[in-house]
Amino acid sequence: VQLQASGGGLVQAGGSLRLSCAASGSTFSTYGLAWFRQAPGKEREFVAAIRRNAYTYYADSVQGRFTISRVNAENAMYLQMNNLKPEDTAIYYCAASTTGPILSALRYPQSYIYWGQGTLVTVSS
């Protein structure tokens, strides 16, 4: 499975961006998918996840501002980010698991085997 993230850029606080993640694989609809981010000097942190049944989960810090979605027919996942804040500045990574993950584990990076290369989001104040 190969993942390719795109859509990052520079935006002012309060603005919006839409990240995309293109995936390979003929069984994309069965993948558990997620977005993580890593700011300079910080650990990688969970942003949002979408399970194979399309149920979605969000970090408290982005709840109500970000929306994760998937289009299985396109082998694609998206992250719509609205009302961006300077603290959202980070490299954003898309991740996939072909075997879940289970609900209690979907917020942990080690639950995902496949990772994209990351796309940089910079939010200016």
Side-chain angles (χ1 to χ4, degrees), residues 6 10 12 15 18 29 31 34 41 46 48 52 54 60-61 64 68 70 80 87 96 98 100 113 119-120 124:
S6 62
L10 173 63
Q12 289 187 332
R18 188 192 194 209
S29 63
Y31 300 169
F46 171 77
R52 55 193 293 176
D60 290 344
S61 59
I68 188 172
R70 65 190 297 166
Q80 177 66 43
E87 52 264 42
T98 58
I113 299 174
T119 185
L120 177 62
S124 63

Side-chain angles (χ1 to χ4, degrees), residues 86-109:
E87 52 264 42
D88 294 318
T89 295
I91 299 174
Y92 284 70
Y93 298 90
C94 55
S97 171
T98 58
T99 59
I102 61 175
L103 184 58
S104 61
L106 57 80
R107 297 172 183 264
Y108 299 100

Side-chain angles (χ1 to χ4, degrees), residues 4-20:
Q4 179 77 31
S6 62
L10 173 63
V11 64
Q12 289 187 332
S16 299
L17 280 175
R18 188 192 194 209
L19 304 184
S20 301

Side-chain angles (χ1 to χ4, degrees), residues 1-113:
V1 177
Q2 292 184 325
L3 303 174
Q4 179 77 31
S6 62
L10 173 63
V11 64
Q12 289 187 332
S16 299
L17 280 175
R18 188 192 194 209
L19 304 184
S20 301
C21 180
S24 65
S26 59
T27 57
F28 178 82
S29 63
T30 68
Y31 300 169
L33 303 169
W35 289 97
F36 288 79
R37 66 187 181 186
Q38 188 164 17
K42 294 188 176 181
E43 294 186 352
R44 192 167 297 190
E45 66 172 359
F46 171 77
V47 175
I50 184 166
R51 304 186 78 189
R52 55 193 293 176
N53 58 9
Y55 283 15
T56 58
Y57 305 86
Y58 297 93
D60 290 344
S61 59
V62 307
Q63 180 76 49
R65 300 188 296 122
F66 291 10
T67 303
I68 188 172
S69 62
R70 65 190 297 166
V71 180
N72 291 333
E74 298 177 358
N75 273 25
M77 172 176 65
Y78 303 97
L79 185 68
Q80 177 66 43
M81 305 186 295
N82 297 328
N83 190 21
L84 283 160
K85 303 176 180 180
E87 52 264 42
D88 294 318
T89 295
I91 299 174
Y92 284 70
Y93 298 90
C94 55
S97 171
T98 58
T99 59
I102 61 175
L103 184 58
S104 61
L106 57 80
R107 297 172 183 264
Y108 299 100
Q110 57 265 39
S111 298
Y112 299 86
I113 299 174

